[in-house]
Amino acid sequence: MIRHGKSQFNEKKRVTCAEFESWVDNYNASGVHRQANYPPETLLKITSADVLITSDLKRSIDSAAILHPEGKTISHSLFRETELPTLHAKHLSIRLKPSTWAVFLRLLWFGGYSNACESVSEAKGRAEKATEQLITYAKESQSVAIVGHGFFNRFISKELQRQGWKGKKKSGTKHWSCTTYTWSE
């Protein structure tokens, strides 16, 4: 399980809540920065996988292409990042950094507010389906790599562990990090 690279979209100016929705759209439409070097374990895992899966978001697809240019990928919306809720605060003119809005909205989301996006329980249900799909691929192909997203990868990780899979601690940096899971009976 690999987290995508750092987004090319780097706009950090303060925005209103309404403007933050456009910021998220731009972030989702952006690719990722190339680096001079990538974590060796991440490269080994992705190039040796029999199946390579990405979400259907550009930063996930581009990250897989950078890490394994010859790899054939399966891209699916099932593996998308969890969304952030929207606030209908058109009259709220407070301007915050996008990272601050993201934290604030994520906290609201974990607290049960899910306006215009899937709820936490729905995201966990989607993670169960994604995990079942990964397990099916693993049974058929032995080795599967997924280039995904921070929060959703954590949901999948928890579901894999719940089902008896053992994970090896992340290697690499925040972006491009790799977590390996194996089945143990």
Side-chain angles (χ1 to χ4, degrees), residues 13-32:
K13 74 175 187 176
R14 294 176 184 265
V15 294
T16 65
C17 190
E19 293 168 336
F20 180 68
E21 290 180 44
S22 294
W23 185 95
V24 170
D25 291 340
N26 289 328
Y27 178 78
N28 283 339
S30 295
V32 296

Side-chain angles (χ1 to χ4, degrees), residues 127-143:
E128 286 180 29
K129 290 177 186 172
T131 301
E132 291 305 321
Q133 185 63 60
L134 289 173
I135 291 170
T136 298
Y137 285 131
K139 286 178 181 175
E140 295 170 357
S141 305
Q142 300 301 310
S143 177

Side-chain angles (χ1 to χ4, degrees), residues 45-185:
K45 295 299 181 183
I46 197 167
T47 56
S48 64
D50 298 320
V51 177
L52 177 54
I53 301 168
T54 69
S55 82
D56 62 345
L57 292 173
K58 185 168 176 53
R59 61 189 180 274
S60 178
I61 294 167
D62 286 0
S63 295
I66 288 169
L67 293 171
H68 190 24
E70 301 83 32
K72 293 182 181 178
T73 61
I74 300 168
S75 297
H76 198 286
S77 62
L78 183 63
F79 299 96
R80 274 181 163 241
E81 178 62 294
T82 57
E83 295 178 334
L84 292 168
T86 58
L87 280 178
H88 294 294
K90 293 178 183 178
H91 304 294
L92 182 62
S93 60
I94 186 171
R95 292 185 167 280
L96 301 172
K97 291 180 182 177
S99 59
T100 304
W101 278 119
V103 168
F104 176 68
L105 292 170
R106 186 63 71 200
L107 288 172
L108 287 176
W109 185 71
F110 276 114
Y113 181 78
S114 60
N115 187 37
C117 73
E118 69 185 343
S119 67
V120 173
S121 64
E122 289 168 335
K124 287 179 180 178
R126 182 165 57 92
E128 286 180 29
K129 290 177 186 172
T131 301
E132 291 305 321
Q133 185 63 60
L134 289 173
I135 291 170
T136 298
Y137 285 131
K139 286 178 181 175
E140 295 170 357
S141 305
Q142 300 301 310
S143 177
V144 178
I146 177 171
V147 180
H149 307 273
F151 278 101
F152 199 64
N153 279 1
R154 281 186 277 250
F155 281 17
I156 292 173
S157 291
K158 287 182 180 183
E159 185 59 27
L160 283 167
Q161 291 169 5
R162 191 185 71 74
Q163 293 190 32
W165 291 72
K166 301 295 179 206
K168 181 182 171 211
K169 193 173 182 171
K170 288 183 182 182
S171 63
T173 59
K174 175 181 173 187
H175 296 283
W176 311 108
S177 62
C178 177
T179 304
T180 303
Y181 284 90
T182 55
W183 176 251
S184 63
E185 296 188 48

